[in-house]
Amino acid sequence: MDRQQADLVVVGCGAGGLATAVQFLQSFPGGRVVVLERTSKAQRGGNTAWTGSFFRLEEDGTPAADFSSRMLELSDGRTDSAIIGRLAELAQPTMTWLNENGVATKSDITYFLTSKGPRLMPAGGGAAIVETLAARVEALGGTIEYEATAQDLVQDNSGDVVGVIATDGTRWEATTVVLACGGFEGSAELLDRYLGERGHELSPIAPGGRANRGEGIEMGIRAGAATDGQFDRFHGEPVDPRTRSAEALVMVYPYGILVDHRGKRFVDEGADTPDNTFESVAYRIWSDADQFAYLIADQKLVRQDIARAVLTDREPETAQTLPELADRLGIDAAQFVATVDEYNAAARPGPLDITTLDRVSTTDLEPPKSNWARPIDEPPYVAWPVTCAITFTFGGLKTDEHAQVIGRGGEPIPGLYAVGEVAGIYHGKYPGATSVLRALVFGRIAGNAAAARSSAPIAAACPEGSRP
């Protein structure tokens, strides 16, 4: 077995893993760090490389006013308040650090038409984080090993983590191991195990998600880690299935109606602003509409400026009559027309204002439509096919505010840290624009911890008595 020595082994080359490696090298110059990345250099970065990477922060990097309360509220109080507090505390310093390391940030508008203002994001999106921080790792003397997949943790006789074993048999021994290799959205087996027998029907929203196959979570569990986060929930988004483009979002569903392949409505499309409902609507498309629905609208929507909320590269299906539109979509015309007629009878005539919750709701309709309930009666009619794409999973390893992995007995597992989506913190609903941010923040925390462990080791590794 080939043995390699390092001070720090990082598994995963996304925002969390790269932040860990860069911070470690800055805090412990001359330290030996290796980042193991399962993909090629061209495909590196996981989900980070494909996301716009919005941050729930003000322009100066301070957390939005509702930052902490929203994270706690959407999880029904289940997300560790200490983790939330640490994330809020270190958000602005992390943005400063990101800028100092060559990643510029800017304020920009989101794809939610009801947004009241811009959000902070890296110039160039998540790809800029991956490219810039990867270059920093190498410039500071670190190593990134591509097409290297970790499959097991190495523990000594006390249970301390002292390295990892890769699929090629290489044993990477280190004082500290940081798992930063994503959730399990790229594993059909784990999706079925945790989400149910139809889990495998969910496709990752971007190619980077295919590399997130849950090995980090599985390795941690085998090493005695506790779990956290809601394993049967995930962050999903409504996308156009007709295109191969990544993140082909269709965020205008509140302004029309959603019907399933039988031509029936199944959800309150206007329950709240789209930034508060898109995840739950996407989930319902998967769970209640057999993973395929159609957004139906008319010229009241088409006349609006909706370009930033429809990111697909395909035009909507169009027809002059509802039966013709049903024919184009391949759904039963009689049921479809009846659905639209029933909705129109319950809707209220008037102009459509897509910029704010208008409190225009249906009367005596099930399911109701709570906002934007205007009749669909101005042809040509339009339809976008919509399916649910999975962005990332919620379940993962239990960590504390120091990014340490917590064992099933309630104590940290020495030598083992987890950052990003491999660490489970989300329950219920995802608080938007926090995922990449928490990867960066806790990556820096883990990097500093690894530097402290390497500069003053608390125990010598015991290679001869260690176990995979």
Side-chain angles (χ1 to χ4, degrees), residues 86-104:
R86 193 79 163 139
L87 181 56
E89 173 193 358
L90 295 180
Q92 188 177 39
T94 296
M95 290 300 102
T96 300
W97 175 87
L98 196 62
N99 297 158
E100 291 172 348
N101 279 282
V103 181

Side-chain angles (χ1 to χ4, degrees), residues 56 58 63-73 119 276:
R56 202 175 194 88
E58 304 295 345
D66 66 348
F67 186 93
S68 297
S69 62
R70 186 158 182 75
M71 287 195 73
L72 203 59
E73 174 191 352
R119 278 186 180 163
N276 289 333

Side-chain angles (χ1 to χ4, degrees), residues 288-347:
D288 296 348
D290 298 325
Q291 187 56 327
F292 210 91
Y294 302 92
L295 167 59
I296 310 299
D298 64 5
Q299 294 302 301
K300 284 191 288 295
L301 178 58
V302 174
R303 286 194 298 268
Q304 309 276 347
D305 182 11
I306 60 173
R308 66 184 171 96
V310 182
L311 304 188
T312 176
D313 58 3
R314 299 289 298 273
E315 294 297 319
E317 301 294 331
T318 305
Q320 286 292 332
T321 69
L322 293 173
E324 180 186 354
L325 187 61
D327 184 62
R328 286 182 178 274
L329 302 179
I331 58 181
D332 181 79
Q335 176 60 66
F336 174 63
V337 172
T339 294
V340 177
D341 286 347
E342 181 184 26
Y343 165 75
N344 284 348

Side-chain angles (χ1 to χ4, degrees), residues 112-136:
F112 301 119
L113 299 177
T114 51
S115 293
K116 300 304 181 186
R119 278 186 180 163
L120 196 65
M121 67 179 297
I129 293 175
V130 173
E131 296 304 313
T132 305
L133 294 189
R136 289 289 290 145

Side-chain angles (χ1 to χ4, degrees), residues 128-278:
I129 293 175
V130 173
E131 296 304 313
T132 305
L133 294 189
R136 289 289 290 145
V137 169
E138 294 174 333
L140 291 167
T143 300
I144 303 175
E145 293 281 338
Y146 296 104
E147 299 181 347
T149 302
Q151 67 175 1
D152 256 319
L153 294 170
V154 180
Q155 293 174 275
D156 65 15
N157 289 332
S158 299
D160 296 10
V161 170
V162 294
V164 301
I165 296 177
T167 53
D168 67 356
T170 302
R171 179 182 173 120
W172 296 91
E173 296 175 352
T175 306
T176 307
V177 172
V178 177
L179 299 174
C181 44
F184 54 88
E185 61 271 14
S187 169
E189 176 190 352
L190 294 184
L191 289 174
D192 279 352
R193 180 190 305 176
Y194 293 118
L195 300 180
E197 61 183 15
R198 293 183 53 228
H200 66 275
E201 296 176 6
L202 293 161
S203 296
I205 196 168
R210 298 173 195 152
N212 295 343
R213 301 174 194 167
E215 289 101 339
I217 298 171
E218 298 284 280
M219 286 190 289
I221 291 172
R222 288 196 298 272
T227 59
D228 197 0
Q230 190 170 346
F231 274 80
D232 62 351
R233 294 290 293 197
F234 58 89
H235 178 42
E237 299 186 78
V239 301
D240 186 341
R242 299 172 298 170
T243 178
R244 296 180 64 85
S245 298
E247 209 168 21
L249 300 175
V250 180
M251 289 294 186
V252 289
Y253 62 84
Y255 313 117
I257 62 172
L258 285 165
V259 301
D260 61 20
H261 58 86
R262 293 174 290 270
K264 296 182 178 181
R265 290 180 65 245
F266 58 93
V267 68
D268 181 351
E269 304 89 347
D272 202 342
T273 56
D275 55 317
N276 289 333
T277 63
F278 74 95

